[in-house]
Amino acid sequence: MRQSLIMGNWKMNGTRESSQSLCAAIMAGLNENDKNIVICVPAVYLADLQTLTSNSPLALGAQNVANQEAGAYTGEVSATMLKEFNCQYALVGHSERRTYYGDTDESVAERFCQAQKQGVIPVLCIGETLAERENGETFNVVNTQLDAVIAKAGIGAFANAVIAYEPVWAIGTGRTATDEQAQEVHKAIRERVALQDPVIAENLQILYGGSMKADNAKGLLAMPDIDGGLIGGASLDAQSFLKIYHSI
Ligand code: 13P
């Protein structure tokens, strides 16, 4: 039985001070038996938030991870570094990384492998643009993004990874995929993995991301192949984020 997972992606928002108060407000809404709730925070705030969350069910994640182990890679943060701050998860291949910073299927696969090598669970983000959806290319796009990582990491790697389906047209737009639209793609992703390993596919957590809010989360999370959410905007408000978490 798959467990649900709720992840917040703060993106490049907040200050040192506001990140700590947001984190504290989220923790205040959790009790000690809660689990499977994660915030992916700006790397520079990891140290503060590691201290703050040390006795809390709230886990930490990074928004990206380097595709190399160490060395002359200016501006990058390695998986070993993330591990030092008790980062349990790292997003890889977020559409904003792919669009604005040139992350390719190949570098995303490398990032995925680097994270996993250090015991950081990679959260592989995949999804189509509006133009691709309108051209009927959704499944092709998602399969290509997924296959690139399977080819490099091997299907076995997905026993310890998470996939986030984030249609680009739904990110930050207020335009959510309908429950059925999202379910259709999640099911296809699971079936694609199942072609190579049905057991891994059955256990794989596939999250939905893209304008998930407190008022639409319940419907999405009730779909059979939607195992959680990767939440941007609504994760910047503790009460909205907690409401999504508690709607599981
Ligand atoms: P929004 O929830 O703001 O649409 O962002 C989704 C996202 O990109 C999470 O990674």
Side-chain angles (χ1 to χ4, degrees):
M1 182 67 191
R2 295 186 295 273
Q3 301 206 341
S4 301
L5 178 62
I6 295 293
M7 303 185 78
N9 175 8
W10 289 3
K11 308 192 180 183
M12 196 174 72
N13 288 296
T15 62
R16 189 170 185 185
E17 201 182 326
S18 74
S19 68
Q20 293 180 58
S21 40
L22 176 54
C23 181
I26 296 167
M27 289 191 306
L30 299 175
N31 66 51
E32 60 189 22
N33 299 321
D34 283 328
K35 54 185 177 175
N36 301 324
I37 177 162
V38 184
I39 46 174
C40 297
V41 305
V44 289
Y45 300 144
L46 280 169
D48 289 341
L49 301 184
Q50 179 189 21
T51 308
L52 206 58
T53 56
S54 63
N55 286 314
S56 153
L58 183 60
L60 287 180
Q63 298 174 12
N64 188 25
V65 59
N67 66 334
Q68 303 290 333
E69 206 159 310
Y73 302 102
T74 303
E76 292 290 294
V77 176
S78 74
T80 325
M81 294 168 184
L82 295 179
K83 196 71 193 165
E84 281 189 277
F85 293 95
N86 202 22
C87 247
Q88 296 181 33
Y89 294 86
L91 306 183
V92 296
H94 191 281
S95 72
E96 286 147 20
R97 298 288 325 167
R98 294 179 191 260
T99 307
Y100 306 134
Y101 302 103
D103 286 14
T104 60
D105 282 345
E106 197 188 338
S107 85
V108 170
E110 290 167 353
R111 291 172 201 278
F112 180 103
C113 292
Q114 284 297 332
Q116 225 173 30
K117 206 164 144 189
Q118 301 304 331
V120 176
I121 300 172
V123 181
L124 171 63
C125 304
I126 56 180
E128 81 289 359
T129 62
L130 184 59
E132 288 163 344
R133 174 161 282 261
E134 286 173 345
N135 285 335
E137 292 167 11
T138 298
F139 296 104
N140 274 345
V141 169
V142 165
N143 287 343
T144 303
Q145 291 172 336
L146 177 59
D147 289 353
V149 180
I150 297 177
K152 173 136 191 100
I155 195 69
F158 284 80
N160 238 323
V162 174
I163 293 179
Y165 169 58
E166 298 207 304
V168 180
W169 48 271
I171 296 178
T173 57
R175 186 177 163 190
T176 327
T178 64
D179 303 346
E180 293 73 24
Q181 274 176 326
Q183 164 60 22
E184 183 186 33
V185 182
H186 280 235
K187 182 165 178 275
I189 293 169
R190 197 177 308 286
E191 284 171 355
R192 185 116 188 136
V193 173
L195 289 176
Q196 298 195 41
D197 194 315
V199 176
I200 286 179
E202 186 53 34
N203 292 319
L204 182 62
Q205 290 169 313
I206 308 178
L207 315 183
Y208 169 80
S211 297
M212 188 185 265
K213 311 276 179 215
D215 59 2
N216 60 26
K218 216 175 176 114
L220 286 159
L221 295 171
M223 302 309 279
D225 288 293
I226 302 184
D227 307 310
L230 178 54
I231 298 119
S235 75
L236 297 172
D237 178 84
Q239 294 319 314
S240 304
F241 187 53
L242 286 163
K243 206 162 170 199
I244 295 172
Y245 177 67
H246 287 125
S247 67
I248 292 171

